[in-house]
Amino acid sequence: MNARLLGRFLQEKLGQPFVIDNRGGAGGLIGGSAVAKATPDGYTVMFGTNSPIFASAVLGGAKAPYSSKDLEPVGRISTVPLVLAVNANSKLKTFADFAEAAKTKDAIRLGHAGNGTTNHVAGIQIANALSTSFLFVPYRGSSAAVADLLAENIDASTLEVSACIQLVDAGSLRAIAVIDDKRAKRLPNVPTLAELGLKGVDVMTFAGVMLPKGTPPDVVRKLSEAVFQVASDQAFQAKLEELGADPAPLNATDFATFLTSQVSRYEQLAKEGAIQLE
């Protein structure tokens, strides 16, 4: 949804049509690989989150089809809080209920957007912090996880606010905790895990734009300037906030620095065994 919003604003600014090609699956590796291996001419652009940009590749190790070094940072658009959500009919009314069930139930069925995604990592860290384990159920993106949560085929899911806010507002889903260091603007009454006393969950979801490595510098610069201008536009930011995202624009240079720190952090967590794929 944010990709279409960004594409519309960029099309108005650059006078160039943007065709959105959603490629989910494999924790974002399918879409990320398509961009990383594309001809670096500026006509194939990635709008993605942590997962396709670096997380799935880091956790995939030598088996990953590409790494963040195969991509050229263009700019960050936003950060997106994650929430732990349940069906509105669930007996798990609060996070305390969830934590108790996680320690006594045979297995909490926790859906996520795919192996290696930030949603998955958040689930792993929650399980570790509760000294328990979940039955992880991976999907091809958050939309599929939401569908099964609505159908009560899973007990809970780690979701981007932007993926579930309308259903939370409508009373179909219930957000029981925010997985962030601060409360979500769109869910001001939902406490953070830290407020609830759970430590050791430290993930950030962001959305940004990347190009294939080797794209001509002038092309990177032109797109980066346009992306930053759009991401800083008040009308665009207002639309992002409606969708549950927090505007957080970074230019290409600052985004590259940010990515370096994020990749190093994930590599260290993986090395310490704090996050592993099943």
Side-chain angles (χ1 to χ4, degrees), residues 25-26 51 60 80 99 118 173 175 194 217 226 233:
S51 303
V80 186
T118 310
L173 297 180
D233 182 87

Side-chain angles (χ1 to χ4, degrees), residues 20-244:
I20 308 301
D21 181 10
N22 292 314
R23 298 200 186 186
L29 286 175
I30 293 176
S33 182
V35 176
K37 297 178 180 180
T39 302
D41 54 11
Y43 286 96
T44 302
V45 183
M46 175 198 292
F47 176 84
T49 61
N50 315 40
S51 303
I53 292 176
F54 73 87
S56 293
V58 168
L59 298 179
K63 296 180 180 180
Y66 68 95
S67 76
S68 59
K69 295 179 181 178
D70 298 315
L71 298 168
E72 185 73 43
V74 174
R76 191 179 72 180
I77 304 299
S78 62
T79 57
V80 186
L82 290 174
V83 296
L84 182 63
V86 298
N87 189 291
N89 296 322
S90 173
K91 294 180 180 179
L92 307 177
K93 303 297 184 184
T94 66
F95 181 74
D97 294 337
F98 175 87
E100 182 63 25
K103 295 178 180 179
T104 58
K105 186 178 170 69
D106 288 339
I108 287 281
R109 299 167 299 173
L110 187 74
H112 59 74
N115 290 336
T117 62
T118 310
N119 314 57
H120 184 199
V121 172
I124 293 171
Q125 291 191 336
I126 291 171
N128 291 343
L130 291 173
S131 299
T132 188
S133 59
F134 300 136
L135 174 59
F136 285 105
V137 185
Y139 292 90
R140 289 175 62 90
S142 291
S143 295
V146 166
D148 255 12
L149 188 58
L150 287 170
E152 300 185 77
N153 292 325
I154 52 178
D155 300 304
S157 184
T158 47
L159 299 167
E160 300 86 353
V161 170
S162 56
C164 65
I165 188 60
Q166 292 181 339
L167 292 167
V168 172
D169 286 346
S172 301
L173 297 180
R174 182 188 306 115
I176 58 176
V178 174
I179 308 170
D180 201 351
D181 59 0
K182 62 182 183 300
R183 294 197 180 197
K185 291 180 181 179
R186 290 285 272 106
L187 296 168
N189 296 321
V190 180
T192 67
L193 288 176
E195 288 179 283
L196 294 166
L198 195 72
K199 308 297 182 183
V201 183
D202 182 22
V203 293
M204 171 190 282
T205 301
F206 64 87
V209 177
M210 309 289 283
L211 285 166
K213 197 71 174 180
T215 301
D218 60 325
V219 174
V220 177
R221 182 172 57 255
K222 182 177 181 179
L223 183 59
S224 177
E225 290 173 353
V227 165
F228 186 77
Q229 288 170 7
V230 166
S232 302
D233 182 87
Q234 290 185 351
F236 177 79
Q237 292 187 351
K239 291 290 186 182
L240 281 181
E241 290 177 343
E242 287 178 13
L243 296 171

